[in-house]
Amino acid sequence: CVCLQDAEIAARILLDQGQVSISFTEHTVETAHGVLHVTVHGTGNARRPAILTFHDVGLESKSCFSTLFKFEEMQEIVKNFTVVHIDALGQEDGAAAYPAGYQYPSMDQLAETVPTVLQYFNFRTIIGVGVGAGAYILAKFAMCNPEAVEGLVLINIDAEARGWMDWAAHKVHLVICSVLICSRRDLNIDRSNTFKCPVMLVVGDQAPHEDAAVECNSKLDPTTTSFLKMADAGGMPQLTQPSKLTEAFKYFIQGMGYMASSCMTRLSRSRTTSLSSSYSMEGSRSRSRTLSQSSQGGQMPPSPSHTMEVSC
């Protein structure tokens, strides 16, 4: 319908001019392990992957990601992608208490709920953004479903999933909590068994499992992995340093071949930045990149590998 096309074009112009806000809808998605609360921002772009988030322990999508995705400079990204926030089972704002005797799903079972969300919204591929336990869940999903993941941003990841099950067991007062905690599994990542997509690892300088994120980085392919260590970020860089994380995320997306014409933000203009990117086309996009930033005003020498290591 021509009228519909004209309306879509007009809406896009208004959105670009900042005259309208991006709409969102809330959904309940039934999975094999329970009902998920899912929030979707934007109207969808079939030519691009959805950005799908999964929050950390003791949080829900709003408290974990609102600061980042409502940040002014993030809007350039948000208006170009559909953004999907998953709340872990029973973790959405206002969720009812767990019934007596309830057994919370394992980490692997939580990862198994993600394909159902993609099927529900008919998403072909995603760029995953996870924090803490959410990073583990999306990493597990990517290992099991590599064809569905174009990129991963993993913040404060711990490949052994420490934290989530301990918290969940305490919250639901499980008698068998020790059994559940022992049931957590390692991602079993190494250079021969790793992600098939580009990955950006982010860790705050005071994150509880900073060493675990560093160890995870050492096991990944350096030609497709970026490692960003943020100073003055505390344990939640997406809340304390949204400007720096937005800038790094934009470069990450550009390295995947999206938003190539995007302008540099004031962060990159005000800070010394060294960026080198190389692209090769092998059926699908393949990317490797190096980015170094220094908050001291001096330029850092690039890393010998394609791994990005930044102290902001």
Side-chain angles (χ1 to χ4, degrees), residues 91-125:
Q91 296 310 297
E92 68 273 17
D93 189 24
Y98 297 116
Y102 177 77
Q103 180 170 320
Y104 203 82
S106 69
M107 297 291 286
D108 288 358
Q109 289 173 329
L110 290 172
E112 290 171 0
T113 65
V114 178
T116 306
V117 174
L118 269 63
Q119 294 169 8
Y120 182 91
F121 295 104
N122 198 28
F123 294 136
R124 186 177 62 85
T125 60

Side-chain angles (χ1 to χ4, degrees), residues 17 34 38 48 138 145 177 187 192 202 215 221 274 290 302 304:
Q17 294 175 346
V38 182
R48 292 181 173 177
L138 292 183
N145 304 271
C177 63
L187 285 174
S192 62
V202 182
E215 181 182 358
D221 182 351
S274 170
T290 302

Side-chain angles (χ1 to χ4, degrees), residues 2-305:
V2 176
C3 294
L4 179 60
Q5 292 176 347
D6 290 344
E8 291 175 346
I9 293 172
R12 174 58 61 185
I13 292 173
L14 291 173
L15 181 59
D16 290 341
Q17 294 175 346
Q19 297 182 32
V20 296
S21 59
I22 297 174
S23 61
F24 72 92
T25 56
E26 298 185 62
H27 306 261
T28 55
V29 180
E30 293 187 9
T31 75
H33 302 293
V35 178
L36 292 175
H37 176 264
V38 182
T39 305
V40 178
H41 294 259
T43 57
N45 185 333
R47 295 172 298 177
R48 292 181 173 177
I51 296 174
L52 184 144
T53 75
F54 214 115
H55 59 86
D56 195 9
V57 170
L59 301 174
E60 31 76 33
S61 61
K62 290 182 181 178
S63 59
C64 192
F65 290 109
S66 286
T67 299
L68 177 64
F69 282 92
K70 289 184 178 179
F71 186 68
E72 177 184 356
E73 292 173 358
M74 177 63 83
Q75 300 317 300
E76 184 178 9
I77 296 174
V78 171
K79 72 183 182 183
N80 282 286
F81 293 86
T82 300
V83 180
V84 184
H85 300 295
I86 296 179
D87 287 305
L89 300 170
Q91 296 310 297
E92 68 273 17
D93 189 24
Y98 297 116
Y102 177 77
Q103 180 170 320
Y104 203 82
S106 69
M107 297 291 286
D108 288 358
Q109 289 173 329
L110 290 172
E112 290 171 0
T113 65
V114 178
T116 306
V117 174
L118 269 63
Q119 294 169 8
Y120 182 91
F121 295 104
N122 198 28
F123 294 136
R124 186 177 62 85
T125 60
I126 65 164
I127 298 172
V129 181
V131 180
Y136 177 99
I137 291 166
L138 292 183
K140 183 68 178 181
F141 168 73
M143 294 290 287
C144 297
N145 304 271
E147 73 289 344
V149 183
E150 293 196 28
L152 285 173
V153 178
L154 305 176
I155 304 171
N156 295 341
I157 187 171
D158 181 354
E160 294 183 358
R162 290 179 287 257
W164 179 280
M165 295 311 301
D166 305 85
W167 172 85
H170 174 73
K171 182 177 177 65
V172 300
H173 307 291
L174 293 174
V175 175
I176 57 172
C177 63
S178 60
V179 177
L180 280 176
I181 294 168
C182 291
S183 70
R184 65 176 180 236
R185 298 174 59 185
D186 194 293
L187 285 174
N188 296 318
I189 296 175
D190 57 42
R191 294 290 174 87
S192 62
N193 180 41
T194 188
F195 302 111
K196 307 301 182 184
C197 64
V199 178
M200 181 169 75
L201 299 179
V202 182
V203 64
D205 58 349
Q206 298 177 26
H209 302 299
E210 178 182 344
D211 292 342
V214 173
E215 181 182 358
C216 181
N217 178 58
S218 70
K219 296 178 179 180
L220 300 183
D221 182 351
T223 66
T224 57
T225 304
S226 301
F227 183 67
L228 176 63
K229 182 177 179 181
M230 287 188 171
D232 304 320
M236 295 185 180
Q238 81 280 8
L239 301 181
T240 58
Q241 298 286 3
S243 179
K244 296 173 184 177
L245 188 53
T246 296
E247 184 73 359
F249 190 32
K250 182 182 293 185
Y251 280 127
F252 182 72
I253 290 175
Q254 288 177 329
M256 296 171 61
Y258 299 110
M259 297 178 62
S261 61
S262 175
C263 297
M264 296 171 68
T265 66
R266 62 175 178 265
L267 171 66
S268 61
R269 291 194 297 268
S270 64
R271 300 169 66 87
T272 301
T273 304
S274 170
L275 173 66
S276 65
S277 303
S278 62
Y279 305 95
S280 62
M281 300 303 293
E282 300 173 358
S284 61
R285 297 176 182 86
S286 112
R287 322 80 166 160
S288 59
R289 54 198 299 271
T290 302
L291 169 66
S292 297
Q293 292 179 327
S294 172
S295 60
Q296 304 303 319
Q299 182 167 320
M300 299 170 61
S303 166
S305 71

